[in-house]
């Protein structure tokens, strides 16, 4: 195994601890950075223990840290900024024995781009999405596909995760179009396309697709 494989294995092994795994899930499911007090209260553990597990997740490369004053106050007397946690952008995957699926995906995406076959890819993606079970809940449907949906008001759903993030960075027109086609197909397959509509709305830190109420 390569050094990168061993690093990924160590990162994933850090989630074998039940409390640490719950802490990571709480941060990953949040709509923004999460503080130690919030994690401690949600998990029913002490603040010191919550901080210990959160910092272990940072050391493993699974979380990132930022600082902000939660009260919004500034200047003297505002207090120290709180240490906040959010999911790290880095990906971790381990295959035993090693498999190069990521490399194959990159080659295929490049071939699609060079051949100008984006239209065919998007048709296939939408067709695949239409296999979604009829009557599925929109949040559960998108969660099952790895999109990490989050309500952004009563009439909007943002997708906090792109399941194809690295490819989308390398081949944005190909992969973002595929995402849009996939989500459009999912909505149609589940019978939700009369209620929700998928559209392109790229922004840092989330998928390029968002849903809005019709």
């Amino acid at each position: 195994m390569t050094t990168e494989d061993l690093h990924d294995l160590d990162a994933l092994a850090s989630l074998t601890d039940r409390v640490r795994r719950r802490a990571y899930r709480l941060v990953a499911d949040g709509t923004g950075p999460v503080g130690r007090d919030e994690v401690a209260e949600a998990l029913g553990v002490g603040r010191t223990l919550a901080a210990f597990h959160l910092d272990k997740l940072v050391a493993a490369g699974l979380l990132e840290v930022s600082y902000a004053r939660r009260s919004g106050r500034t200047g003297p007397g505002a207090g120290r900024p709180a240490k906040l946690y959010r999911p790290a952008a880095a990906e971790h995957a381990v295959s035993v024995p090693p498999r190069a699926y990521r490399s194959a995906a990159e080659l295929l995406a490049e071939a699609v781009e060079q051949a100008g076959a984006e239209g065919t890819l998007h048709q296939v993606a939408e067709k695949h999405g239409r296999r979604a079970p009829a009557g599925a809940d929109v949040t559960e449907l998108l969660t099952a596909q790895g999109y990490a949906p989050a309500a952004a008001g009563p009439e909007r759903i943002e997708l906090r995760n792109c399941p194809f993030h690295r490819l989308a960075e390398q081949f944005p027109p190909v992969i973002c179009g595929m995402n849009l086609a996939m989500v459009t197909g999912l909505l149609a397959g589940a019978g939700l396309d009369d209620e929700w509509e998928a559209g392109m709305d790229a922004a840092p830190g989330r998928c390029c697709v968002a849903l809005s109420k019709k």
Side-chain angles (χ1 to χ4, degrees), residues 28-111:
D29 287 345
T31 56
V34 179
R36 292 171 169 180
D37 290 336
E38 297 167 76
V39 173
E41 182 178 356
L43 299 186
V45 300
R47 186 179 187 276
T48 301
L49 181 59
F52 170 79
H53 285 297
L54 288 167
D55 288 337
K56 284 291 187 180
L57 291 167
V58 172
L62 295 170
L63 296 181
E64 295 176 346
V65 171
S66 62
Y67 294 87
R69 289 187 171 89
R70 307 306 293 270
S71 65
R73 296 171 57 195
T74 59
R80 296 175 58 187
K83 191 173 186 179
L84 306 176
Y85 300 83
R86 64 180 182 274
E91 299 176 7
H92 299 279
V94 178
S95 176
V96 181
R99 300 286 190 249
Y101 299 117
R102 181 178 294 164
S103 296
E106 291 172 352
L107 289 172
L108 290 169
E110 185 173 352

